[in-house]
Amino acid sequence: MNLKKTTSGVAALLEDENFFHPGFSIDCVVFGFHENTLKVLLTQYKGFDFWQLPGSFVLKNEDVDVAANRILKELTGLDNIYLSQFHLFGSTNRRLSMRADTPEIFRKEYNVEIDKHHWFANRFITMGYYALVDYTKVKITPLTANERVEWKDYDSRLPEYADHRTIVEKAMETIRFQLNRIPIGRELLPEKFTMTELRILYETLLDRTLNRRNFERKILSYDYVEKLNERRKGVAYKSPNLFSFNDEKYNEAEIKGFYMPWL
Amino acid sequence: MNLKKTTSGVAALLEDENFFHPGFSIDCVVFGFHENTLKVLLTQYKGFDFWQLPGSFVLKNEDVDVAANRILKELTGLDNIYLSQFHLFGSTNRRLSMRADTPEIFRKEYNVEIDKHHWFANRFITMGYYALVDYTKVKITPLTANERVEWKDYDSRLPEYADHRTIVEKAMETIRFQLNRIPIGRELLPEKFTMTELRILYETLLDRTLNRRNFERKILSYDYVEKLNERRKGVAYKSPNLFSFNDEKYNEAEIKGFYMPWL
DNA sequence: GCAAAAGTGTTAGCTATACACCCATGT
DNA sequence: ACATGGGTGTATAGCTAACACTTTTGC
């Protein structure tokens, strides 16, 4: 799938009216968890000073979910990503960019004139997908040659970028609401993790502290988390035990949901 | 908003390529609850022998959520409907109808030739919305003059209609998954209801029986359900007490969710 | 030795669940 | 009178939530 990863490709893309499903795009909110911090993948296009969500278009005869998986695979190098639709953004003021200086930047940086009648300059309906990935496994590859993609902290100092802040917040809200239905720990943590890491993940998502003792007891009461005979090395103070998920038992549990009293 | 409620209007609609956002539609799954039975609004188009979901298109510069509300208002006569996106259906084989005899029926019934290159004959991306309405308040008005709309039981004998069965089931799955976040009782039941009606609603959605005594005690432990000084009349055996929701307290509770142990 | 974080035991109070029994009403 | 569904009390097992104390480790 060649999505024209060259600067001149932008011009070609603009002419490709029949290549893509018209007036429709996909935006991806990719979450990772690293050093006890929630991260989001953001991208910065050449010439623009703000960061936005990585996204792309759907081919004329491509399943939308397949397109989302294709984009995520290209972006992270990962197959079988946990990927879920969370909201359709269909307000009338959604454009390629809502910033007034966009045509100017396109002219200057890409040598492309954006005509106001071109579908590219008109309203987009965007499907928001969120992805949960193992930070340690991701190898970032920007979707085009005109952008750079980086992990950014998910917190109040998230960089500015059009209505994409709204989109990230909606993704987060969806995840919080569905926390008892999402295998969030297994998707965001590496294969081996400490109980404190799992707890801090939940504390971050819930935005409150959880009782250390009761958290561990509850988690271990389900048999899908296994205590390994192994400890994290090279840390200050007492080295904590490592745990891992038993995938088979986790999948069984997924049907019933992941009820925990503090959700 | 004149969406051409005449038979000849279909021809006009097909020419209105610039009137609608291209390649995109909305399908609505409208749930009601009547005589202890879950119902869904379905529509049958002139010339077609199967039932499908009521749906429509989005105007070129219309917010998608606004369009969904417009359609629902037209269909049910109700404002402020509980309406929620639940899934985007974007597979490549979605057409106006996936049945081979569609062009023939259009020719015969509507005197319209469907060209295979016309956007109408090509793949649609459809946003699924589900609505929860008070059955007693709905006044059905078909969206066009070429169809009839009726309440149908939601059960295994749901009529056949293309991939719309999948869509209804996905809507139901979403509702089940979010049951602790949806004010389902308030939206589906009339203002005054018996505790048994509320319980049977939950039993229907969860597809299992709930303990009568414990259900009532749990519901009443939240103060958003009020026992009225009134009984249902004209029923066999002992007349049951009526209850109603305290909207103010219900709205407060909505923030936290509607946790119940049997969910 | 000390500070910091990990690991573990105990308990009071609460909740879920099961079940029992009486009440009101139409036939 | 009786069948049916409504209304209500209680006991128990199990869980939640709070807290206390011990252990391990690097500095």
Side-chain angles (χ1 to χ4, degrees):
Chain A
M1 193 67 59
N2 172 22
L3 276 185
K4 310 196 173 66
K5 302 198 179 199
T6 61
T7 302
S8 68
V10 172
L13 194 142
L14 284 171
E15 282 156 19
D16 254 345
E17 208 157 330
N18 292 314
F19 193 58
F20 296 116
H21 192 100
F24 190 83
S25 62
I26 286 176
D27 279 341
C28 298
V29 186
V30 185
F31 287 101
F33 193 66
H34 184 61
E35 287 175 346
N36 287 337
T37 313
L38 196 62
K39 308 272 189 182
V40 180
L41 274 186
L42 294 181
T43 185
Q44 189 181 39
Y45 284 93
K46 196 176 158 189
F48 294 89
D49 59 355
F50 56 92
W51 293 79
Q52 52 187 300
L53 292 169
S56 188
F57 303 102
V58 178
L59 303 180
K60 203 107 193 176
N61 261 303
E62 185 182 33
D63 187 299
V64 180
D65 286 339
V66 168
N69 274 288
R70 165 177 60 75
I71 293 164
L72 260 293
K73 158 107 196 192
E74 243 176 283
L75 190 62
T76 64
L78 299 176
D79 280 308
N80 298 323
I81 282 181
Y82 186 96
L83 186 60
S84 180
Q85 301 179 359
F86 67 93
H87 195 76
L88 183 84
F89 298 89
S91 74
T92 51
N93 59 352
R94 300 203 82 263
R95 296 282 185 284
L96 181 60
S97 166
M98 271 163 284
R99 289 164 56 114
D101 55 356
T102 300
E104 199 183 324
I105 293 169
F106 264 75
R107 194 178 307 123
K108 208 174 101 188
E109 294 285 343
Y110 302 99
N111 199 28
V112 162
E113 206 63 45
I114 297 194
D115 185 89
K116 69 171 181 178
H117 296 299
H118 194 283
W119 67 286
F120 223 80
N122 278 293
R123 183 264 286 260
F124 274 90
I125 293 174
T126 287
M127 190 66 212
Y129 282 80
Y130 73 83
L132 306 175
V133 300
D134 177 350
Y135 180 98
T136 64
K137 288 222 173 68
V138 171
K139 283 179 187 161
I140 297 175
T141 310
L143 294 169
T144 68
N146 317 301
E147 59 185 312
R148 57 203 191 94
V149 177
E150 285 176 19
W151 285 112
K152 298 284 177 189
D153 285 4
Y154 176 89
D155 63 12
S156 54
R157 281 158 294 140
L158 208 62
E160 298 278 342
Y161 45 99
D163 72 337
H164 286 197
R165 185 188 285 270
T166 313
I167 298 180
V168 174
E169 273 160 17
K170 185 74 185 176
M172 189 61 170
E173 184 191 314
T174 305
I175 289 171
R176 283 207 185 102
F177 269 41
Q178 300 178 350
L179 221 39
N180 60 341
R181 295 290 179 179
I182 300 174
I184 193 105
R186 187 180 57 175
E187 301 301 336
L188 284 179
L189 293 175
E191 271 158 44
K192 295 172 181 182
F193 55 90
T194 68
M195 195 51 75
T196 299
E197 286 164 353
L198 182 59
R199 178 169 49 81
I200 289 179
L201 171 57
Y202 274 96
E203 288 181 343
T204 305
L205 295 169
L206 294 168
D207 199 24
R208 72 186 192 86
T209 59
L210 299 171
N211 183 289
R212 185 172 58 97
R213 179 70 180 115
N214 297 332
F215 180 86
E216 171 162 352
R217 194 177 356 233
K218 188 70 190 176
I219 291 290
L220 291 180
S221 77
Y222 302 108
D223 53 4
Y224 51 72
V225 176
E226 284 169 354
K227 188 170 187 168
L228 301 176
N229 213 346
E230 202 175 339
R231 291 174 171 277
R232 164 120 328 143
K233 285 164 193 163
V235 290
Y237 317 120
K238 183 170 179 175
S239 59
N241 218 304
L242 289 172
F243 296 82
S244 75
F245 291 104
N246 180 318
D247 277 0
E248 202 180 313
K249 287 176 180 164
Y250 212 86
N251 290 336
E252 286 170 26
E254 203 168 356
I255 297 162
K256 285 182 266 171
F258 302 95
Y259 168 72
M260 284 169 262
W262 50 77
L263 292 181
Chain B
M1 192 67 58
N2 172 21
L3 276 185
K4 311 197 173 65
K5 303 199 180 203
T6 61
T7 302
S8 68
V10 172
L13 193 142
L14 284 171
E15 282 156 21
D16 255 344
E17 209 158 329
N18 293 315
F19 192 59
F20 295 116
H21 192 98
F24 190 85
S25 62
I26 287 176
D27 279 340
C28 299
V29 186
V30 185
F31 287 101
F33 193 66
H34 184 62
E35 290 176 344
N36 286 337
T37 312
L38 196 61
K39 308 271 189 182
V40 179
L41 274 187
L42 294 181
T43 184
Q44 188 181 39
Y45 285 93
K46 195 176 158 190
F48 293 89
D49 58 356
F50 57 92
W51 293 79
Q52 51 186 304
L53 292 169
S56 188
F57 303 102
V58 177
L59 302 180
K60 202 108 194 175
N61 262 305
E62 184 183 35
D63 187 299
V64 181
D65 285 340
V66 168
N69 274 288
R70 166 177 60 77
I71 293 165
L72 259 293
K73 158 108 195 191
E74 243 177 282
L75 191 61
T76 64
L78 298 177
D79 280 308
N80 298 322
I81 281 181
Y82 185 95
L83 187 59
S84 180
Q85 300 178 0
F86 68 93
H87 195 76
L88 183 84
F89 297 88
S91 74
T92 51
N93 59 353
R94 301 205 80 263
R95 296 282 185 284
L96 181 61
S97 166
M98 272 162 284
R99 288 165 57 113
D101 55 355
T102 301
E104 198 183 324
I105 293 169
F106 265 74
R107 194 178 308 124
K108 206 174 105 189
E109 294 286 344
Y110 302 100
N111 200 28
V112 162
E113 204 64 42
I114 296 194
D115 185 89
K116 69 171 180 178
H117 296 297
H118 194 283
W119 68 285
F120 222 80
N122 278 294
R123 183 262 287 257
F124 274 90
I125 294 174
T126 288
M127 190 66 210
Y129 283 80
Y130 73 82
L132 306 175
V133 301
D134 178 350
Y135 181 96
T136 63
K137 289 221 173 71
V138 171
K139 283 180 187 161
I140 296 174
T141 311
L143 294 169
T144 67
N146 317 301
E147 58 186 312
R148 57 202 189 95
V149 178
E150 286 176 18
W151 286 111
K152 297 283 176 187
D153 285 4
Y154 177 88
D155 64 12
S156 54
R157 279 159 295 139
L158 208 61
E160 298 280 341
Y161 46 100
D163 73 336
H164 286 197
R165 184 189 287 268
T166 313
I167 298 180
V168 174
E169 271 160 18
K170 185 76 184 175
M172 189 62 171
E173 185 192 313
T174 305
I175 289 171
R176 283 206 184 103
F177 269 43
Q178 300 178 349
L179 221 40
N180 59 341
R181 295 290 177 178
I182 299 174
I184 194 104
R186 187 180 56 175
E187 302 300 337
L188 283 180
L189 294 174
E191 271 157 45
K192 296 173 182 180
F193 55 91
T194 68
M195 195 52 74
T196 298
E197 285 164 354
L198 182 58
R199 179 169 49 80
I200 289 178
L201 170 57
Y202 274 96
E203 289 182 342
T204 305
L205 295 169
L206 295 168
D207 199 24
R208 71 185 191 88
T209 58
L210 299 170
N211 183 291
R212 186 171 60 98
R213 178 69 180 114
N214 298 332
F215 180 87
E216 171 162 353
R217 191 175 3 229
K218 189 67 191 178
I219 291 290
L220 291 180
S221 77
Y222 303 108
D223 53 3
Y224 52 71
V225 176
E226 284 169 353
K227 188 169 186 169
L228 302 176
N229 213 345
E230 201 176 338
R231 294 174 169 276
R232 164 119 330 143
K233 284 164 193 164
V235 291
Y237 318 121
K238 184 172 180 177
S239 58
N241 218 305
L242 289 172
F243 296 82
S244 74
F245 291 104
N246 180 318
D247 278 359
E248 202 180 314
K249 287 176 180 165
Y250 212 85
N251 290 336
E252 288 170 26
E254 202 168 357
I255 297 162
K256 285 181 266 170
F258 304 94
Y259 169 73
M260 283 168 262
W262 50 77
L263 292 181

